[in-house]
């Protein structure tokens, strides 16, 4: 019988990290070639997120499209990566 290791004080679980980011800026990379930068207002166990002061960056054949949004509800199933404190690079 194997035992499950218990988290030590220096380990942090993924949802704990997301919880610490509430009120902070996040750079979110989506599965569909979109990137989103916004302030995290809240989330659930599926990492569906409410963001405000959002900028959406989308790569198109014509170039990069930038869309500003006041508030969005983001489906966590489409997220590839979260970067706490991240901002979109200027390139």
């Amino acid at each position: 019988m194997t035992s499950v290791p218990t988290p030590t004080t220096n380990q942090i679980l993924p949802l704990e990290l997301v919880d610490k980011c509430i009120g902070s800026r996040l750079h979110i990379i989506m599965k569909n070639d979109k990137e989103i930068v916004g302030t995290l207002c809240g989330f659930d166990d599926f990492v569906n997120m409410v963001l405000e002061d959002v900028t959406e960056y989308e790569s198109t054949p014509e170039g990069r499209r930038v869309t500003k949004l006041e508030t969005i509800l983001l489906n966590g199933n489409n997220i590839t990566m979260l970067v706490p404190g991240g901002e979109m690079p200027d390139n």
Side-chain angles (χ1 to χ4, degrees):
M1 184 169 160
T2 60
S3 63
V4 176
T6 57
T8 61
T9 56
N10 59 356
Q11 290 179 328
I12 185 166
L13 298 173
L15 289 179
E16 288 178 290
L17 178 61
V18 177
D19 188 53
K20 289 177 184 263
C21 293
I22 291 178
S24 299
R25 300 289 286 172
L26 288 179
H27 178 184
I28 302 168
I29 300 173
M30 307 294 291
K31 290 181 181 177
N32 59 358
D33 292 332
K34 287 185 182 180
E35 297 187 38
I36 295 173
V37 176
T39 302
L40 179 63
C41 297
F43 70 99
D44 64 11
D45 289 341
F46 301 102
V47 195
N48 298 313
M49 298 181 168
V50 176
L51 300 165
E52 61 184 17
D53 187 25
V54 176
T55 306
E56 178 185 76
Y57 302 89
E58 184 176 9
S59 297
T60 66
E62 296 82 30
R64 186 166 70 172
R65 181 184 319 159
V66 179
T67 307
K68 300 274 188 179
L69 303 164
E70 186 176 318
T71 304
I72 63 168
L73 172 60
L74 188 64
N75 184 326
N77 195 38
N78 297 318
I79 296 172
T80 301
M81 184 169 54
L82 297 172
V83 182
E87 289 292 335
M88 185 66 188
D90 291 330
N91 58 11

